[in-house]
Amino acid sequence: MKPLHRIALIAVAAIAAAVLGEWASRVIEPWMDRRADDSAQRRPLIGGPFELVDHTGRTVTERTYRGKVQLVFFGFTSCPDVCPTALSTMTDLLDRLGPDAASVQPILISVDPERDTPERLADYVQAFHPSLIALTGQEEAIVAAARAFGVYFKKAPSLIEGEYSVDHSATTFVLDRSGRFVSALDPHDTDEAALDKLRRAIATPAPTS
Ligand code: NI
């Protein structure tokens, strides 16, 4: 190979390496970072930021209840059967937990903000458990909270003239002390299975960071 050709070849190789390196740092690395972010964000699919008002009129967010295991249920006070049943089950579970119940915050988020004022919710929670907190808010705030939990709700016709009902998912979400979703209580769970899910969440320490 003539010296001139060799120099040209080395120059081409150097340029190619530089271009490749640049491409890697501009395209590949950010792409890999993005993938890492995605997988970090994929974990808390359930539970997310919300800002609502509790039944005493206080503004609360998803951070308000950190430090306690949260039981989150979406429903409404005019619900004839599903909500009272789920909330009674929740109350029974808390009673059966004994002293550990102090580490659990049961929360009802209304899917009927039009009728469920803080005053109405304050009356309603008394029928269930002294530690039950009920949240309501503007329609958009409720929609955002429901979306954060992947909960569906929709106004539906009622059998009562001039009234309406609300169709809604009836899952009870169990969040650990740092607000991460850990399990869901299923209406078909036995009492023991449900208690076991709660005890496991209670036993999970909050991260120290
Ligand atoms: Ni209901």
Side-chain angles (χ1 to χ4, degrees), residues 76 79 82-83 168:
F76 64 113
C79 180
V82 176
C83 294
H168 64 96

Side-chain angles (χ1 to χ4, degrees), residues 73-86 108 111 124 165-170:
F73 180 79
F74 287 76
F76 64 113
T77 63
S78 317
C79 180
D81 41 37
V82 176
C83 294
T85 305
L108 163 68
V111 289
Y124 190 73
S165 185
V166 186
D167 288 341
H168 64 96
S169 342

Side-chain angles (χ1 to χ4, degrees), residues 56-132:
T56 69
R58 189 171 70 121
T59 299
V60 300
T61 72
E62 76 287 355
R63 296 177 169 272
T64 306
Y65 309 106
R66 296 235 171 118
K68 285 199 174 191
V69 166
Q70 299 165 51
L71 283 182
V72 181
F73 180 79
F74 287 76
F76 64 113
T77 63
S78 317
C79 180
D81 41 37
V82 176
C83 294
T85 305
L87 293 171
S88 297
T89 304
M90 205 190 256
T91 300
D92 290 347
L93 279 177
L94 292 170
D95 289 345
R96 293 186 59 174
L97 268 178
D100 279 349
S103 328
V104 180
Q105 180 56 67
I107 300 168
L108 163 68
I109 300 182
S110 175
V111 289
D112 185 14
E114 204 175 308
R115 291 181 295 194
D116 286 343
T117 58
E119 296 74 25
R120 185 161 172 166
L121 290 171
D123 282 342
Y124 190 73
V125 293
Q126 283 178 12
F128 295 98
H129 196 272
S131 69
L132 179 62

